[in-house]
């Protein structure tokens, strides 16, 4: 019988030597000391023995139990220490993890740059509504309903055809002129909408920067030459390229006369060695002045409009306009 006890003790001791974690230890403890362990089974057989045997074997079995229990609790203490010091392994000299910084969206950067440059030339920055009336978006800008120029701007019409998602920032020219007397110079940055299919160079929603400078007719009233100077200064600073040249090509926009397309050529990157169209512009049409309530022939000024996406794509060498709205961090993190 004592052989049985010896064997129970040996097997348990051997098991103990191989335990590496508190979880393993708990499993082994149940196996060797639990209710269905061999030791417990052995103790249960004692009731069939004589009283002398019971006393003797009971004593021995209890010794085995106590020794095993103390071996288990010693090992538990050791393993507790190991687990604790693993948690405590903190190297205060290690470099701190860096907080992740956000990025200013490239369009926002381009917008802020542009605002700052125009502000330095004395332009005031104003904003207007994105839902416009048919009158401010088209009619007041010399574009009546039967005018073919309406077809140039595919339009999102709202209920009853009275309201539109503005197709350009030009209607803010009308709103500003109605509420102010010249002289003034303003910039209108903002979102515009076109009902057209999306591809690498077209979005149904994009941003424009409108410009307007008007004064009473006279020697110092804004001229086409002044427009060219403003454009040149703006693009040279925006693209950080003092070699940028400006070219006006005759063009048509109903709200200006004469109207031009503004082309630029620079000395590096996408602008090197070719003329690229970046804006529409011209001298404000006298019909527009009349529509907003000025006396025909009394005022003179220029206006221009450009797409923010276009100049941002040129500046940052972005090939697909859809990247701006794509929320792809691999793209955004580059700015
Ligand atoms: N509004 C025009 C467009 O979206 C751009 C434009 C052309 C604006 C000529 C102007 C301008 O102020 O004078 O296509």
């Amino acid at each position: 019988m004592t052989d049985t006890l010896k064997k129970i003790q040996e097997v348990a001791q051997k098991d103990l030597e191989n335990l590496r974690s508190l979880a393993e230890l708990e499993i082994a403890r149940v196996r060797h000391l639990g209710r269905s362990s061999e030791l417990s089974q052995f103790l249960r057989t004692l009731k069939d023995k004589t009283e002398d045997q019971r006393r003797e074997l009971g004593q021995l079995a209890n010794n085995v139990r106590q020794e095993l229990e103390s071996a288990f609790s010693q090992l538990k203490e050791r393993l507790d220490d190991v687990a604790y010091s693993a948690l405590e392994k903190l190297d205060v000299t290690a470099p701190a993890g860096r907080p992740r910084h956000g990025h200013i969206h490239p369009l926002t950067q381009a917008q802020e740059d542009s605002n700052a440059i125009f502000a330095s030339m004395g332009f005031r920055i104003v904003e207007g509504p994105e839902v416009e009336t048919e009158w401010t978006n088209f009619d007041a800008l010399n574009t009546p309903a039967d005018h073919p120029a309406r077809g140039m701007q595919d339009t999102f019409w709202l209920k009853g055809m009275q309201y539109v998602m503005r197709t350009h920032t030009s209607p803010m020219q009308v709103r500003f002129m109605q509420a102010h007397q010249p002289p003034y110079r303003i910039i209108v940055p903002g979102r515009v909408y076109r009902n057209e299919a999306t591809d690498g160079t077209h979005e149904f929603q994009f941003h424009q920067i409108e410009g307007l400078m008007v004064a009473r007719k006279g020697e110092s009233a804004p001229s086409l030459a002044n427009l060219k100077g403003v454009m040149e200064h703006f693009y040279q600073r925006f693209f950080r390229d003092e070699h940028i040249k400006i070219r006006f090509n005759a063009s048509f926009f109903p709200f200006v006369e004469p109207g031009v397309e503004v082309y630029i050529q620079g000395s590096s990157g996408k602008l090197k060695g070719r003329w690229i169209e970046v804006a529409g512009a011209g001298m404000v049409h006298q019909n527009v002045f009349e529509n907003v309530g000025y006396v025909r022939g009394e005022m003179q000024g220029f206006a221009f409009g450009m797409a923010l996406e276009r100049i941002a794509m040129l500046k940052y060498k972005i090939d697909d306009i859809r990247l701006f709205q794509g929320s792809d961090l691999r793209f955004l993190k580059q700015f």
Side-chain angles (χ1 to χ4, degrees):
M1 270 309 166
T2 49
D3 281 352
T4 311
L5 280 174
K6 237 189 215 140
K7 194 148 170 251
I8 288 174
Q9 186 161 16
E10 271 172 21
V11 170
Q13 293 282 12
K14 207 170 196 160
D15 228 8
L16 269 174
E17 286 164 23
N18 295 318
L19 302 181
R20 291 284 170 274
S21 72
L22 289 166
E24 286 175 7
L25 178 109
E26 183 54 21
I27 292 166
R29 198 185 61 75
V30 171
R31 186 182 325 129
H32 297 295
L33 291 168
R35 279 158 48 84
S36 43
S37 63
E38 278 189 51
L39 185 61
S40 297
Q41 278 167 26
F42 178 83
L43 284 165
R44 278 196 286 276
T45 62
L46 292 183
K47 65 180 190 311
D48 305 327
K49 307 281 182 221
T50 65
E51 204 179 321
D52 282 350
Q53 281 178 320
R54 253 206 316 266
R55 195 178 312 115
E56 191 191 342
L57 289 174
Q59 181 86 53
L60 286 171
N62 266 327
N63 287 346
V64 169
R65 169 183 281 277
Q66 274 167 20
E67 275 175 38
L68 284 181
E69 272 174 357
S70 92
F72 269 105
S73 72
Q74 275 173 26
L75 182 60
K76 181 168 177 342
E77 254 173 56
R78 271 217 310 281
L79 290 175
D80 271 344
D81 280 352
V82 171
Y84 186 68
S85 60
L87 279 180
E88 281 291 281
K89 217 169 258 168
L90 172 67
D91 180 357
V92 293
T93 65
R98 283 177 185 236
R100 277 207 272 156
H101 288 290
H103 295 252
I104 294 184
H105 193 281
L107 276 184
T108 308
Q109 282 182 42
Q111 183 71 80
E112 286 174 357
D113 283 357
S114 149
N115 285 355
I117 296 166
F118 281 116
S120 80
M121 288 190 273
F123 284 79
R124 183 175 148 194
I125 292 144
V126 299
E127 287 180 289
E130 291 177 18
V131 175
E132 275 292 0
T133 65
E134 182 180 0
W135 189 78
T136 38
N137 196 84
F138 291 119
D139 301 76
L141 289 166
N142 203 28
T143 319
D146 57 355
H147 199 291
R150 280 208 189 185
M152 284 160 59
Q153 299 187 355
D154 302 311
T155 309
F156 287 115
W157 291 92
L158 300 178
K159 271 191 192 137
M161 307 283 273
Q162 299 296 319
Y163 294 96
V164 300
M165 297 309 291
R166 68 176 174 191
T167 57
H168 50 177
T169 42
S170 306
M172 194 50 198
Q173 287 188 33
V174 175
R175 291 180 181 277
F176 193 88
M177 288 194 265
Q178 283 184 308
H180 299 82
Q181 284 300 312
Y184 45 70
R185 53 189 104 165
I186 60 164
I187 288 296
V188 189
R191 214 181 278 268
V192 302
Y193 302 82
R194 300 275 172 98
N195 187 2
E196 61 187 14
T198 294
D199 63 24
T201 51
H202 296 85
E203 271 278 24
F204 62 87
Q205 170 201 285
F206 59 100
H207 298 78
Q208 285 188 341
I209 303 169
E210 190 82 14
L212 177 69
M213 181 168 179
V214 181
R216 202 158 272 282
K217 242 187 195 159
E219 246 175 53
S220 59
S223 67
L224 206 60
N226 295 147
L227 169 65
K228 203 164 184 180
V230 167
M231 294 284 90
E232 188 175 76
H233 183 75
F234 172 73
Y235 290 114
Q236 286 182 353
R237 282 183 60 188
F238 183 81
F239 290 108
R240 307 226 167 91
D241 180 355
E242 62 190 26
H243 300 296
I244 280 186
K245 290 178 290 189
I246 300 283
R247 190 172 86 181
F248 283 172
N249 275 15
S251 185
F252 173 77
F253 300 97
F255 32 93
V256 283
E257 177 60 34
V260 299
E261 276 161 0
V262 182
Y263 284 74
I264 60 173
Q265 183 174 133
S267 62
S268 68
K270 291 193 170 213
L271 294 171
K272 188 171 177 166
R274 56 189 180 131
W275 290 103
I276 293 182
E277 189 203 334
V278 284
M283 299 304 291
V284 179
H285 201 293
Q286 290 299 326
N287 286 357
V288 176
F289 285 144
E290 205 168 53
N291 290 338
V292 301
Y294 296 164
V295 176
R296 192 176 191 91
E298 274 191 3
M299 305 300 174
Q300 178 179 314
F302 61 72
F304 58 86
M306 66 181 108
L308 181 65
E309 278 78 356
R310 185 158 177 80
I311 57 174
M313 285 167 80
L314 290 168
K315 180 167 180 172
Y316 302 124
K317 303 190 178 73
I318 295 166
D319 288 325
D320 194 317
I321 194 173
R322 290 166 293 195
L323 288 166
F324 288 124
Q325 306 285 338
S327 301
D328 187 336
L329 286 179
R330 291 169 304 177
F331 168 72
L332 295 173
K333 276 182 172 174
Q334 296 173 40
F335 299 94

